[in-house]
Amino acid sequence: MSSTPRAWTEPAQRPVPAGAPEPLPEPARDELRLEVVMGALSDPLRMHIVRTLLLESEEFDHTCGWFGLDRPKSSLTHHFRTLREAGLIRQRQYGLERRSHVRVDDLQARFPGLLALVADWQQ
Amino acid sequence: MSSTPRAWTEPAQRPVPAGAPEPLPEPARDELRLEVVMGALSDPLRMHIVRTLLLESEEFDHTCGWFGLDRPKSSLTHHFRTLREAGLIRQRQYGLERRSHVRVDDLQARFPGLLALVADWQQ
DNA sequence: TTCGCAGTACGACTTGCATCGTACTGCGGC
DNA sequence: GCCGCAGTACGATGCAAGTCGTACTGCGAA
């Protein structure tokens, strides 16, 4: 995994740490809808979030605040929820923070090649 | 899989017939934006149109009416224009009719794998 | 030249979404 | 206990998009 910087091409995802909180409500893998996923990615800010998360998520999950986005917190909540409800990201509550990562396995299984397009996206 | 007649996986597109009208205004290949394309595909009716066109377009282009969609004509005009302005389809005016086909070459070049996802989409 | 047809243009209505301020919650540190 | 912080919930607002009826255009056939 560390030999190539593009972990999103790998089918395997790093294991969930023991004791991690349950993910927030999200669609199951077989409930993912391509048109809903694409609708979530049709917003440039959300595309940016997913792409950044994808290319930086090898080490650990990230909080909303980590991105340094210049938007009010309530706007970020809205976009992260949209991404989670579309099935693009998984969110877990760690104490104060809500950490996110891309659902690489599920997305690769259902929509192979989609994440490669996201990774190649240019702002 | 590679023996099946899925022309959308081929880089080449059938040639334009001599004397065909000029295409209606559309974004150039290098102006295509992934988030705009995905926004156009986020509507189930438009996804259906593109997918149908993709899987049936080997023979000839198709008119709006060919699809047999149960919507008023003005709604179809709206959706076909959205698809054309996003760069998904090319439209030409043949006398009375406006015929459409998917821009396979351009989309494969800019967003490889995207059309495969569309072709695998289930209503 | 008159009619019918494919599709557009326009406008009105409605819905959904992005945006954001403000109040609130829940956890951890002091 | 008390406070600060991350993030949510709620509500208001403005705007873009979907929907559709109706009038219109432009071509071809009778």
Side-chain angles (χ1 to χ4, degrees):
Chain A
M1 182 185 300
S2 55
S3 60
T4 169
R6 301 204 279 179
W8 45 268
T9 60
E10 305 290 325
Q13 191 161 308
R14 81 199 127 68
V16 177
E22 282 303 298
L24 298 179
E26 65 182 23
R29 174 183 290 195
D30 61 0
E31 291 172 341
L32 299 181
R33 298 290 309 165
L34 181 59
E35 73 274 18
V36 175
V37 167
M38 288 193 170
L41 291 173
S42 67
D43 185 280
L45 181 63
R46 289 196 295 259
M47 178 75 86
H48 171 74
I49 290 172
V50 173
R51 182 173 179 273
T52 305
L53 216 43
L54 196 59
L55 300 179
E56 307 280 346
S57 64
E58 296 176 42
E59 303 298 330
F60 45 80
D61 297 351
H62 293 290
T63 66
C64 296
W66 171 83
F67 294 84
L69 299 168
D70 187 21
R71 304 288 178 98
K73 293 188 293 180
S74 52
S75 295
L76 298 182
T77 296
H78 164 70
H79 287 296
F80 276 85
R81 182 176 48 199
T82 299
L83 288 172
R84 175 169 52 85
E85 291 178 349
L88 277 157
I89 65 174
R90 174 164 294 143
Q91 292 186 292
R92 284 191 170 87
Q93 192 82 31
Y94 286 85
L96 284 180
E97 299 167 336
R98 181 167 292 194
R99 292 180 171 271
S100 307
H101 68 259
V102 179
R103 293 173 61 180
V104 178
D105 279 10
D106 294 333
L107 293 167
Q108 287 284 86
R110 286 296 309 279
F111 312 121
L114 181 77
L115 292 181
L117 294 174
V118 173
D120 287 344
W121 182 72
Q122 315 223 21
Q123 183 85 36
Chain B
M1 279 298 174
S2 56
S3 60
T4 57
R6 299 204 274 180
W8 47 266
T9 58
E10 306 291 326
Q13 192 161 308
R14 80 200 127 70
V16 177
E22 282 302 298
L24 298 179
E26 65 182 23
R29 174 183 290 193
D30 61 359
E31 292 172 340
L32 298 180
R33 297 290 308 166
L34 181 59
E35 72 274 19
V36 175
V37 168
M38 288 192 170
L41 290 173
S42 67
D43 184 282
L45 180 63
R46 289 196 294 260
M47 177 76 86
H48 171 73
I49 290 171
V50 174
R51 181 172 179 274
T52 305
L53 217 41
L54 196 60
L55 300 179
E56 307 280 347
S57 64
E58 297 176 41
E59 303 297 332
F60 45 80
D61 297 352
H62 292 290
T63 67
C64 297
W66 172 82
F67 294 85
L69 299 167
D70 189 21
R71 303 289 178 98
K73 293 188 294 180
S74 52
S75 295
L76 298 183
T77 295
H78 165 70
H79 288 297
F80 275 85
R81 182 175 47 198
T82 299
L83 289 172
R84 176 169 51 85
E85 291 178 349
L88 278 157
I89 66 174
R90 174 165 295 143
Q91 292 186 291
R92 284 191 170 88
Q93 192 82 31
Y94 287 85
L96 282 180
E97 298 168 336
R98 183 167 290 194
R99 292 180 170 272
S100 307
H101 68 259
V102 179
R103 293 174 61 180
V104 177
D105 279 9
D106 294 333
L107 293 166
Q108 287 285 87
R110 286 295 310 279
F111 312 121
L114 181 77
L115 292 182
L117 295 174
V118 174
D120 287 343
W121 182 72
Q122 315 220 25
Q123 183 85 36

